[in-house]
Amino acid sequence: NAGVTQTPKFRVLKTGQSMTLLCAQDMNHEYMYWYRQDPGMGLRLIHYSVGEGTTAKGEVPDGYNVSRLKKQNFLLGLESAAPSQTSVYFCASSFEETQYFGPGTRLLVL
Amino acid sequence: AQSVAQPEDQVNVAEGNPLTVKCTYSVSGNPYLFWYVQYPNRGLQFLLKYITGDNLVKGSYGFEAEFNKSQTSFHLKKPSALVSDSALYFCAVRDMTAQFYFGTGTSLTVIP
């Protein structure tokens, strides 16, 4: 039982490049979330999903897109990366209100 | 709008002393409240939650939290701090749409 995994662990992008972050969970959880963590800002919700095929915007959705084609996977896309998207990204899945977090992806946009 | 405030960026406490990490919240409807801990270069780990019932909630690693509706607070406590408790602590609230809102975090340092 791997829990919540995130791929990749670290990535460097140039401004304007695109990439997809993958989150996978093997706990059969319905709810999944993408957050970004910045110094002094805590965690801020980007997008979330309450089930396969559904997505919703969180607090800071601009510049990001998501897809939940399979229950176990939640993808976060950056179509045109900007330096302001340099951050640590965390995925979480949820069961009975409790969230379980992945180890994070550190993204640097130059 | 939903929000969580952690008024202290940093809390220092001597090993063996009691510790308190403060949290206040604002949410529509009944609050679902949480505490998470983050160790360096790791994801967040669940400590405890309040959904309903007793105002004093017990969680992992000897931590507990007290829900106070009149003061809209959910302070994290531990009777005797350990050096290994040193970490970053986050308070969070969940709203009716299943969105979570986190505080900015409190860095706890337990001094040997």
Side-chain angles (χ1 to χ4, degrees), chain B residues 9-89:
Chain B
D9 291 335
Q10 174 81 37
V11 170
N12 297 324
V13 63
E15 186 176 23
N17 281 4
L19 70 86
T20 298
V21 183
K22 296 179 180 177
C23 172
T24 58
Y25 67 89
S26 173
V27 67
S28 303
N30 293 325
Y32 288 11
L33 296 160
F34 303 82
W35 276 102
Y36 286 85
V37 60
Q38 185 180 33
Y39 297 99
N41 301 312
R42 303 286 297 275
L44 278 69
Q45 296 177 31
F46 170 76
L47 277 180
L48 51 80
K49 65 182 176 183
Y50 172 84
I51 305 298
T52 187
D54 290 339
N55 290 343
L56 186 63
V57 178
K58 294 188 182 297
S60 306
Y61 313 119
F63 284 94
E64 58 189 28
E66 186 169 11
F67 170 64
N68 187 317
K69 188 173 183 178
S70 63
Q71 297 185 3
T72 60
S73 67
F74 190 56
H75 300 331
L76 181 70
K77 300 180 180 182
K78 188 173 183 181
S80 178
L82 300 172
V83 173
S84 57
D85 293 330
S86 298
L88 189 56
Y89 290 81

Side-chain angles (χ1 to χ4, degrees), chain A residues 3-5 20-34 45 47-57 64-77 91-95 99-100, chain B residues 97-98:
Chain A
V4 180
T5 58
T20 300
L21 283 67
L22 170 63
C23 176
Q25 54 99 359
D26 60 2
M27 297 175 282
N28 203 34
H29 290 170
E30 291 291 340
Y31 291 31
M32 295 186 75
Y33 301 79
W34 275 108
L45 182 63
H47 287 279
Y48 66 110
S49 168
V50 300
E52 181 178 322
T54 72
T55 63
K57 293 180 180 179
Y64 305 95
N65 56 75
V66 288
S67 65
R68 183 102 181 266
L69 300 179
K70 294 183 179 181
K71 187 176 184 179
Q72 63 267 34
N73 295 337
F74 195 29
L75 278 64
L76 178 71
C91 175
S93 67
S94 175
F95 173 71
Q99 292 191 311
Y100 298 85
Chain B
T97 67

